[in-house]
Each structure stands twice: as C-alpha cells, then as structure tokens.
Amino acid sequence: MRSPLWFVVAGLIALAGFAGAALYLMPRLETVDAGLMRVVVPGSSALVLDKPGAYTIYHEQKSFVDGQYYASDSVEGLRVGLTAEATGATVKLAEPSGSSSYSIGNRKGTSILVFTIDQPGRYRLTASLANGRAEPKTVLAIEQGMMAVLFGLIFGTLAIAFGGLGVAGAIVAVTIWQRSKAASNRTQSIEPGGRGG
C-alpha cells in the first residue's frame, strides 16, 4: 500500500460514504414528512388516528398544504380542541414537557401541544382565534413518534458518513506508515555505500 494511488482510493471511499449517507437519508425523510397530518387553522378538521398512544401537535411556521404556501411566526391566541367523533369525549391537550422542532425541506415546525388517546379512530380537531377571526391562517401538523424516527435517521446517516471517513482515514494512515517505512529502509541501505564511495 505504498503507492500514492491509495490516497485517491481513500478519497473516493470518503466521498462514497457521504454519497451513501445522502442516499440513505433523503428517501426516508420524505417518508417521515408524508407521515405528518396537516390541517389549516382556524377551522375544523377530521383526523384519522390509527394507533393509540401519545401524539404531538406542531405549529408549522413554514408549510405547504394543497399546493398553497403558509407562513406564520406565531399562533398567539389560537384555541385548539380535540374530541372523539364516536363518543364526543374531549381529549386532554397539554403543553409538551420539552420543546422539539424540525426542518424538512421548506417546512419548519415547533411543538406546541401533546395528547394521548386510548382508542384509534376518527377525531375532530377544532381551532379558533379570539373574536372569531378567520385570519391569519396557519398550519398545524400532527404526528406520532416522528422525533424518534428522525434521531434514528440522523444517527444512521452519521454512521454511514463517518464509516466511510474511518475506512479512508485508515487507508491514509497505513499508506503513510508504509511509505515512511520504505523510505527509512532505503536510507539505511544507501548510507554504507555512500561512506564507502
């Protein structure tokens, strides 16, 4: 591994690691984004929640819904309610214990509410502004377990990228060591001849 071509090989492996990380991440990000339910508020929307457990409601400061772009910095004064359509029971909404946010493509969201359901089914989300105002329009996104998926994607992407860098670094280190060793051996073999000449 003394040939300088090994440095080129190392560079190609490092680039392949970054390319592999991008190929791993991009299609999975699209899947995560597709898993978000988006509603335009104020207004009323039906949600089909097919799994029991905890959900998070995000305010999307930047969003696209049905081909229309929405941008809003805050949801000040927005009142949100959630009821089960089958029973009319009210679902308790609470503030999240910690803030979480995401940025996927042109979309950007921040958590504002959390809730838990025991039974899957259809739920009615209603949101209103003070004095019954219809503007400004904003977008809420509802999801379950997205942050865990995102963290998994991030760590998987980093593992692929740094795996490529690690292999490339090992090749560079071994190549430098062998070239240095070969140069040292040449110096030692030349010295006696030089003194004798």
Side-chain angles (χ1 to χ4, degrees), residues 48-67:
V48 178
L49 307 178
D50 55 6
K51 294 179 181 178
Y55 288 78
T56 302
I57 299 176
Y58 293 84
H59 165 229
E60 286 201 337
Q61 294 93 339
K62 297 179 181 179
S63 185
F64 279 93
V65 177
D66 295 330

Side-chain angles (χ1 to χ4, degrees), residues 4-21:
L5 287 176
W6 283 106
F7 293 118
V8 176
V9 171
L12 292 175
I13 290 174
L15 289 175
F18 285 114

